[in-house]
Amino acid sequence: MAIGVKALPFTFVVHALAIVGAILVLVWCIDFRGGLAWEASNKSLIFNLHPVLMLIGLIIIGGEAIISYKALTLRKEVKKLIHLVLHAIALILGIIGIYAAFKYHNESSIANLYSLHSWIGIAVISLYGIQWIYGFVIFFYPGGSTGLRSESLPWHVLFGLFVYVLAVGNAAIGFLEKLTFLENSGLAKYGAEALLVNFTAVLTILYGAFVILSVASQGPVEDDYSYSAI
Amino acid sequence: MAIGVKALPFTFVVHALAIVGAILVLVWCIDFRGGLAWEASNKSLIFNLHPVLMLIGLIIIGGEAIISYKALTLRKEVKKLIHLVLHAIALILGIIGIYAAFKYHNESSIANLYSLHSWIGIAVISLYGIQWIYGFVIFFYPGGSTGLRSESLPWHVLFGLFVYVLAVGNAAIGFLEKLTFLENSGLAKYGAEALLVNFTAVLTILYGAFVILSVASQGPVEDDYSYSAI
């Protein structure tokens, strides 16, 4: 499905949106929501870790991991290492971010795992982990046979993008869920905070779209036209 | 990004999920939520048209439109006609469905266009309309030059899938939003209706995934390997 344009300009957009997205979620959770804490009597500060770690970790660093083959002009082996290390960081931050949500719920006597956001979240982090382990074993160490690698690669790309799109969609669901709770508790529906959260969600979706666009476009070297370098 | 498997089995899964999804949303809106009505003193019945028309129209019929090239073994011209007619039906049902949401809000004095769901919804229906008009003019009547067609096709596929994924994601957001409102009004978080709505949302996401999987797989005739028959 490769489109006939260079990926590099799209990857610049990804980097720019990454910076803006990280700033927006920090401004929301620190300036508007009171800050971040692992232990606190104000349990909301524990919750605030959740959107920060999920957006900056799973979505932003995960997105940069995905586009590493298209964004960088390094040797394939180096890009592969960057790809798997960034994904590992994204996965670990995602797990800590999900743990923070459970910690907040448990310490505030809020029910766990009843919402669609939590269901999809558990599915995403599980599939992300499975995808990472499969990728590591087949493409890095010890590595599958040439036949298995070349058969696996399009599925690795397709399944990886599926999990990533699910993660981005679930981030949007999470922003809406939290904002709906806040609006039910009296937050102004057209106020500054509501607009900030909605714009952060829209930017997250755009970030995901440019990640996909980068993958669908042509990489910096000729062998990127084929699957072999994805 | 075509994967080396036949699309046909995936298209059967799409059809099956379409039937289940349509039944689930009808059971929810008719059995659990009291039914459907265009004019009613119980304004909730007007709202109920919204999920029914969006899911059966925009998502299900829209998904069938997308996979028509992979699901049918007809001449390309016939499949193109089916593709554009199904998309037109999906678009019209989507517009009526969105109108029903506004009608419900206006007759119930509920604010319009403050939520992420509404923002993305307006974006989706606008982009869907633009995509349909562009496709009609370039690929059907009067039709662009051969060069323009072949240059446009990968973008038509990519942009169309982007809009569709956005629609599926926004459907999930909509299910969560409505259920959150109901739960804030006392609906049991682990009750039958909550599970039904969450399962419908999960099924909607699976439907979208199998639509994409069908598109990424190989069509029934050899020329489906190229863009020319997508």
Side-chain angles (χ1 to χ4, degrees):
Chain A
M1 215 183 294
I3 45 177
V5 287
K6 294 276 179 202
L8 207 59
F10 296 134
T11 66
F12 293 151
V13 179
V14 171
H15 302 323
L17 291 175
I19 293 166
V20 179
I23 292 171
L24 288 181
V25 76
L26 287 170
V27 167
W28 179 41
C29 291
I30 296 173
D31 271 17
F32 283 83
R33 291 283 111 215
L36 312 170
W38 191 252
E39 298 290 348
S41 54
N42 177 4
K43 301 302 177 193
S44 297
L45 307 190
I46 299 170
F47 173 82
N48 293 348
L49 287 166
H50 178 67
V52 167
L53 289 171
M54 301 319 288
L55 189 66
I56 296 179
L58 203 70
I59 305 293
I60 291 179
I61 297 177
E64 291 285 352
I66 290 171
I67 65 163
S68 58
Y69 288 103
K70 300 296 172 92
L72 304 169
T73 48
L74 301 163
R75 281 188 304 119
K76 188 180 156 190
E77 289 72 24
V78 180
K79 292 199 277 193
K80 186 185 280 186
L81 196 66
I82 292 170
H83 181 73
L84 78 87
V85 169
L86 285 181
H87 270 312
I89 295 170
L91 186 58
I92 291 165
L93 292 179
I95 291 168
I96 299 171
I98 289 173
Y99 183 82
F102 277 97
K103 190 170 189 291
Y104 162 68
H105 284 177
N106 293 340
E107 296 182 14
S108 311
S109 302
I110 295 172
N112 278 311
L113 293 176
Y114 70 88
S115 80
L116 181 67
H117 178 66
S118 65
W119 291 18
I120 299 177
I122 295 295
V124 164
I125 206 76
S126 308
L127 296 175
Y128 208 110
I130 292 167
Q131 169 84 347
W132 192 88
I133 291 166
Y134 187 86
F136 188 90
V137 170
I138 302 300
F139 300 115
F140 191 70
Y141 183 83
S145 67
T146 312
L148 183 60
R149 282 171 186 243
S150 67
E151 274 210 24
S152 294
L153 195 51
W155 287 100
H156 178 74
V157 173
L158 192 69
F159 188 74
L161 291 182
F162 170 68
V163 174
Y164 189 70
V165 168
L166 211 54
V168 170
N170 206 36
I173 291 177
F175 282 121
L176 178 127
E177 188 178 37
K178 182 66 183 178
L179 191 56
T180 304
F181 291 150
L182 295 172
E183 287 168 349
N184 275 317
S185 305
L187 191 82
K189 286 189 170 68
Y190 300 100
E193 183 170 352
L195 290 180
L196 172 68
V197 174
N198 280 350
F199 273 116
T200 310
V202 170
L203 186 133
T204 303
I205 294 166
L206 283 176
Y207 180 81
F210 275 94
V211 167
I212 305 293
L213 205 48
S214 300
V215 173
S217 305
Q218 291 162 12
V221 288
E222 208 167 312
D223 67 353
D224 278 345
Y225 284 78
S226 75
Y227 289 128
S228 69
I230 290 175
Chain B
M1 213 184 297
I3 45 177
V5 288
K6 294 276 179 203
L8 208 60
F10 296 134
T11 67
F12 293 152
V13 178
V14 171
H15 303 323
L17 291 175
I19 293 165
V20 179
I23 292 171
L24 287 181
V25 75
L26 286 170
V27 167
W28 178 43
C29 291
I30 296 172
D31 272 17
F32 283 83
R33 293 281 112 216
L36 312 170
W38 191 251
E39 298 289 349
S41 53
N42 177 4
K43 302 302 176 191
S44 297
L45 306 190
I46 299 170
F47 173 82
N48 293 347
L49 288 166
H50 178 68
V52 168
L53 289 172
M54 301 320 288
L55 189 67
I56 296 180
L58 204 69
I59 304 291
I60 292 180
I61 297 178
E64 291 285 354
I66 289 171
I67 65 162
S68 58
Y69 288 103
K70 300 297 172 94
L72 305 169
T73 49
L74 301 164
R75 281 186 307 116
K76 187 180 154 190
E77 290 70 27
V78 180
K79 292 200 276 193
K80 186 185 283 187
L81 197 65
I82 291 170
H83 181 72
L84 78 88
V85 169
L86 285 180
H87 270 312
I89 295 169
L91 186 59
I92 290 164
L93 293 179
I95 291 168
I96 299 170
I98 289 173
Y99 184 82
F102 277 98
K103 190 171 189 290
Y104 162 67
H105 284 177
N106 293 340
E107 295 183 16
S108 311
S109 302
I110 295 172
N112 279 310
L113 293 176
Y114 70 89
S115 80
L116 182 66
H117 178 67
S118 65
W119 291 19
I120 299 177
I122 295 296
V124 164
I125 206 75
S126 307
L127 296 174
Y128 208 110
I130 291 167
Q131 169 85 346
W132 192 89
I133 292 167
Y134 186 86
F136 188 91
V137 169
I138 301 299
F139 300 115
F140 192 71
Y141 183 82
S145 66
T146 312
L148 183 61
R149 282 171 187 243
S150 66
E151 274 211 23
S152 294
L153 195 50
W155 287 100
H156 179 74
V157 172
L158 192 68
F159 189 74
L161 291 181
F162 170 68
V163 174
Y164 188 69
V165 168
L166 211 54
V168 170
N170 206 36
I173 290 176
F175 282 121
L176 177 127
E177 188 178 37
K178 183 65 184 178
L179 191 56
T180 304
F181 290 150
L182 295 171
E183 287 169 348
N184 275 317
S185 305
L187 191 81
K189 286 189 169 69
Y190 300 100
E193 182 170 352
L195 290 180
L196 172 69
V197 174
N198 280 351
F199 273 116
T200 311
V202 170
L203 187 133
T204 304
I205 293 167
L206 284 176
Y207 181 80
F210 276 94
V211 168
I212 305 292
L213 204 48
S214 301
V215 173
S217 305
Q218 291 163 11
V221 288
E222 208 167 312
D223 67 352
D224 278 344
Y225 284 77
S226 74
Y227 289 128
S228 68
I230 291 173

